[in-house]
Amino acid sequence: MLNKNFKSARQKACSFLIVLIYAASAYNAKAAVKSYRKEADGITIKLNTGLIKLKICADDIVEVKYTIFNAFLKKTSLVVNNTWAKITPFKVSEQKGEIVITTLKLRIVIDKTTDAITYKDINGKIITGEAAAGNKSLTEATIAGIKTYSVSTQFNSPNDEALFGLGCHPEDSLSINYKGRNQQMLIKYMTGAIPVLLSTKGYGLLWDNYSASNFYGGEANNTQFKYVSESGREVDYYFFYGPDFDHIIDLYRTATGKAPMYPKWSFGLFQSQDRYKTQAEVLSVKDGYRKNHIPVDAIVQDWFWWSPAPIGSHIMNHDRYPDPKAMVNELHKANFHAMISIWPLFGEGSANYEAQKKNGFLTSIKWDNFFAHTFDTYYDAHNPKARDLYWAQARDSIVKRYDWDAWWVDQCEPDNGSLLDERRKADFSVGKGIDYFNTYALEHAKGLYKGWRSDMTNKRAFFLVRQAFAGSQRSATTLWSSDITTTFKAFKSQVPQGINACASGIPYWTSDIGGYLSRVDPDGIPTWSEPENRELFTRWFQFGTFSPIFRIHGKGERALFSNNWDQPTKDILLKFDNLRYRLLPYIYSMAASVTLHNYTIMRALAFDFRNDPNVYGIPDQYMFGPAFMVNPVTEQLYTGVGEAKAKTRKVYLPKATWFDFWTGKTIAGGQTINAESPINILPLYVKAGSVIPMGPEVEYATQKTAKPFELRIYPGANGKFTVYEDENDNYNYEKGKYALFTISWNDKLHQVSINDTKGSYKGLKKYRTFNIVLVSPDHGTGEGVTENADKTIVYNGKSLTVNI
């Protein structure tokens, strides 16, 4: 028996050793470096099988390509639009089995045995590195009957690393940190994908592959992570070195395009409902807001305005909308802006369908979701000629004809339900659908932005999109989180999803305030008169106040003047609506920083506190610009009869001095507190040293008023804030027609300084009055105008300094 067991064990050991030797020889034969060639923009490395290309795009940006074939694809990236015309100097050397590339900021080390790449800072400290085994691979695969190669990259990941980004996934878990968890990266209905990752170790990654993918955050016992795309012929990724998150996002947008400036009105409140069915109904909502003096800027005409005509016919039903131009004119006269939902689908029987079909611009992809309209067909958004025709059809029939101000870009996945293999098998002008699975929305928005810039020259583009991909920000897109439900669970998930969408380089994100539909009611309409639903809407509205775009939408009437809200609810909603409008100088200036400096408004805590590991796992706190820490209340705190179960939520305050926005009291950072959270309070904390410009109360964003601005100063540290102003809604800012002035606070001297105004534009005020308020307990608090300012000054555009 002993001899038998020994013999069996020896056979197993020998077999295992043979497998190891074979695997090692096969791996080395594939990976080992044979030679390299230095080129003007980087190096190309010849392996035993295949090639690696490292392109030095900048001192802190590197593109890596790998293939098992003898040449790389000749393709134009759909994501990266920087041509890197300027050559970045670098040096190459060999030492101890390594090839080393050195720039002014990086040392990039390639192991000649494993081909693994390690990224170090200029002092030799490791930033990150590819795994020694399986770092870059192509594997034969057959998917949906299509022969292809799955593509993967694998990186080392120390235990204390946190990972953010990867887009918006509306129905996902509540986690904020992707370390140790997996994420599907496949764009479909209610599932997003933006292949951008930020690490607290100070780097970012962008995978330039468009097929359905997966991120695995817990490989090799959480010491590695892997990104796998189901189709491709080469690995292609970009490495960005920060180390700060703001700089990583700056580099990402340097590679993929800046976000253009939005019109000022778009930072006010959007009123939307599923759906306004008549012209009279739209105008009644306009009257309801203006007669009640409730601040609002936009109203939205959602879907089926074309019914019973086929989708894509772009004809407003004249029984229900007898004069669309007059309707939009009436909105404009009342200082409303108007957005309309137009889909990338064409139903049989319309002239537009026939024109798209005649030119060969329709795909084989059918809409297969709620209504199973299998005759509704998506056009080929990857075809530039098809995009041009699509724009021209909508422009002439709807957008320019009736003078709409913004476009809701719905159904841009394309949404074909469970028939995802049909998307894989579709033939786009650029190739098979499997290789362009995630880029439909990116290309669709590209055509809209091109057309808008060409033909709507005096209006800044604003597109609300249901899906986005890396690079979408350059087409004036705001990502919204799709058809979420009216539940606290859905609301709670929105906070980390918004944070991670913005950490993915997309600066503008929004959710349907209140949720889109109820899963309980057969018609999907929530009962807003019920106290628990009012509480949900109120908490969501508070969160929306501190989202990049502030937008009500969903089934059931939820306008702020609606009788669905009792008076206490109306008072709270109006309080936060007024707060949003008072903060417009702060918000609009941050939007300018997005465009001018690639800033991020909705900020994961790691943007500002990257070296504090306590913030890595917090899913429901974020910074809104440099001043505010926002802490949404996402748990239901009241019973059905309105009795409180709890009135606090836990808030972690990183190391700094913090002011309670509502009371002016200071709290030391580095601790977790129980924040007061009655229904009329969203816990807000302002960092010491913050300077916040607050406007007077207005009813729409561009309302002219002679009332003074309030400058709130939060003492305890030095600080400054740069105010941006322009003409509000055209592209003259691209010609330098804007003005900037910086307000500074010297904490030691208790001095406020304002520098000379830089720049000019038509309408720039020559004189303005500022009420300076030094915040303290019960002074300069809350949303209201502070009655007794500490000092009032008149600023004429020339520098001045005052003592407080």
Side-chain angles (χ1 to χ4, degrees), residues 609-679:
F609 308 100
R610 183 172 59 87
N611 295 319
D612 183 351
N614 293 314
V615 308
Y616 295 172
I618 299 175
D620 56 357
Q621 295 179 224
Y622 61 95
M623 295 296 292
F624 189 69
F628 287 97
M629 177 176 287
V630 185
N631 312 279
V633 179
T634 58
E635 299 287 346
Q636 189 160 14
L637 302 184
Y638 291 81
T639 67
V641 293
E643 297 176 352
K645 293 192 294 184
K647 291 185 179 180
T648 63
R649 65 146 288 175
K650 290 188 179 300
V651 170
Y652 174 71
L653 297 173
K655 289 183 179 179
T657 298
W658 298 89
F659 286 76
D660 185 320
F661 176 76
W662 304 106
T663 69
K665 295 178 181 178
T666 58
I667 308 169
Q671 63 172 323
T672 298
I673 65 170
N674 289 316
E676 292 296 322
S677 307
I679 188 65

Side-chain angles (χ1 to χ4, degrees), residues 206-508:
L206 160 66
W207 286 276
D208 199 5
N209 181 290
Y210 319 136
S211 68
S213 304
N214 282 283
F215 176 82
Y216 301 98
E219 295 294 287
N221 296 318
N222 269 5
T223 63
Q224 296 175 350
F225 64 80
K226 180 165 63 174
Y227 195 90
V228 180
S229 297
E230 71 176 16
S231 183
R233 290 178 64 86
E234 62 189 27
V235 168
D236 191 350
Y237 74 83
Y238 287 78
F239 170 89
F240 307 111
Y241 175 52
D244 293 334
F245 278 17
D246 277 313
H247 188 57
I248 298 169
I249 296 297
D250 179 33
L251 298 178
Y252 158 77
R253 294 202 200 129
T254 296
T256 63
K258 286 181 172 287
M261 195 74 185
Y262 279 158
K264 190 172 184 178
W265 63 261
S266 65
F267 296 100
L269 177 63
F270 284 72
Q271 172 59 46
S272 182
Q273 181 181 316
D274 182 275
R275 56 188 167 93
Y276 298 123
K277 298 179 181 179
T278 67
Q279 180 170 328
E281 189 176 4
V282 170
L283 295 179
S284 72
V285 175
K286 177 261 296 182
D287 293 338
Y289 270 96
R290 289 294 178 245
K291 288 178 180 178
N292 287 282
H293 304 288
I294 300 171
V296 68
D297 265 275
I299 192 166
V300 182
Q301 175 61 64
D302 200 358
W303 63 339
F304 275 23
W305 43 264
W306 54 82
S307 181
I311 192 170
S313 59
H314 302 334
I315 298 172
M316 295 198 79
N317 180 289
H318 283 275
D319 291 330
R320 293 183 287 118
Y321 304 90
D323 193 341
K325 185 69 166 70
M327 177 182 73
V328 175
N329 286 346
E330 284 295 307
L331 294 175
H332 288 166
K333 288 176 184 177
N335 296 295
F336 269 84
H337 287 79
M339 180 163 74
I340 190 168
S341 172
I342 309 177
W343 300 17
L345 283 158
F346 291 91
E348 292 182 13
S350 70
N352 289 342
Y353 173 92
E354 294 301 330
Q356 292 280 350
K357 182 180 179 181
K358 178 181 178 181
N359 285 281
F361 294 159
L362 294 177
T363 70
S364 59
I365 305 171
K366 308 292 185 181
W367 179 24
D368 179 39
N369 192 359
F370 288 117
F371 303 101
H373 287 178
T374 54
F375 48 85
D376 294 339
T377 306
Y378 284 88
Y379 86 106
D380 183 0
H382 288 84
N383 186 330
K385 292 183 179 179
R387 292 196 298 264
D388 289 346
L389 177 59
Y390 179 93
W391 164 256
Q393 289 172 336
R395 175 199 62 204
D396 295 341
S397 299
I398 295 293
V399 180
K400 194 170 185 179
R401 179 181 181 184
Y402 299 137
D403 202 21
W404 292 89
D405 303 297
W407 191 322
W408 188 338
V409 187
D410 206 342
Q411 291 285 338
C412 57
E413 285 89 337
D415 176 11
N416 68 327
S418 61
L419 305 178
L420 298 182
D421 279 354
E422 297 307 310
R423 282 173 60 186
R424 291 180 170 97
K425 292 186 287 187
D427 291 312
F428 294 128
S429 63
V430 290
K432 211 69 180 172
I434 191 171
D435 292 314
Y436 297 90
F437 194 91
N438 284 337
T439 49
Y440 190 95
L442 174 72
E443 295 297 279
H444 181 45
K446 179 193 292 184
L448 303 186
Y449 185 64
K450 175 192 172 188
W452 194 284
R453 289 301 305 264
S454 174
D455 299 330
M456 309 285 284
T457 54
N458 291 321
K459 293 176 187 268
R460 294 179 193 170
F462 182 97
F463 301 117
L464 181 67
V465 300
R466 196 161 82 178
Q467 291 291 352
F469 197 66
S472 288
Q473 75 283 345
R474 63 179 179 252
S475 296
T477 57
T478 288
L479 173 62
W480 112 87
S481 54
S482 198
D483 298 343
I484 47 183
T485 56
T486 56
T487 63
F488 269 94
K489 181 181 178 182
F491 169 39
K492 189 172 185 176
S493 72
Q494 293 310 292
V495 184
Q497 295 308 322
I499 293 168
N500 267 327
C502 294
S504 307
I506 304 298
Y508 297 112

Side-chain angles (χ1 to χ4, degrees), residues 47-190:
L47 306 175
N48 285 338
T49 302
L51 301 168
I52 295 175
K53 166 78 175 180
L54 283 86
K55 183 174 182 176
I56 309 304
C57 303
D59 291 322
D60 40 15
I61 304 176
V62 182
E63 181 188 17
V64 175
K65 289 186 176 183
Y66 162 77
T67 184
I68 59 175
F69 303 104
N70 294 325
F72 293 104
L73 294 175
K74 293 182 179 179
K75 67 168 187 175
T76 300
S77 174
L78 298 185
V79 169
V80 176
N81 66 350
N82 192 324
T83 59
W84 314 110
K86 183 180 178 181
I87 299 298
T88 300
F90 63 94
K91 296 179 181 179
V92 181
S93 61
E94 285 190 78
Q95 52 194 34
K96 297 180 182 179
E98 297 174 339
I99 303 170
V100 181
I101 303 174
T102 304
T103 74
L104 291 178
K105 295 183 179 180
L106 293 171
R107 288 172 55 83
I108 307 152
V109 181
I110 304 100
D111 188 302
K112 294 179 70 174
T113 301
T114 66
D115 81 30
I117 301 170
T118 300
Y119 300 91
K120 302 180 179 181
D121 67 20
I122 198 62
N123 297 314
K125 181 181 178 181
I126 293 177
I127 304 164
T128 190
E130 298 175 343
N135 50 73
K136 299 176 287 291
S137 69
L138 272 70
T139 306
E140 289 187 18
T142 300
I143 300 169
I146 304 166
K147 291 185 176 182
T148 185
Y149 293 83
S150 68
V151 180
S152 72
T153 59
Q154 190 154 313
F155 283 80
N156 296 320
S157 180
N159 289 328
D160 60 347
E161 181 174 36
L163 304 169
F164 302 89
L166 299 183
C168 176
H169 308 276
E171 295 182 315
D172 254 16
S173 76
L174 300 175
S175 176
I176 190 74
N177 179 1
Y178 282 99
K179 175 71 171 178
R181 70 185 183 104
N182 302 335
Q183 179 59 61
Q184 187 179 53
M185 300 293 290
L186 173 156
I187 289 180
K188 61 180 181 179
Y189 181 60
M190 298 298 290

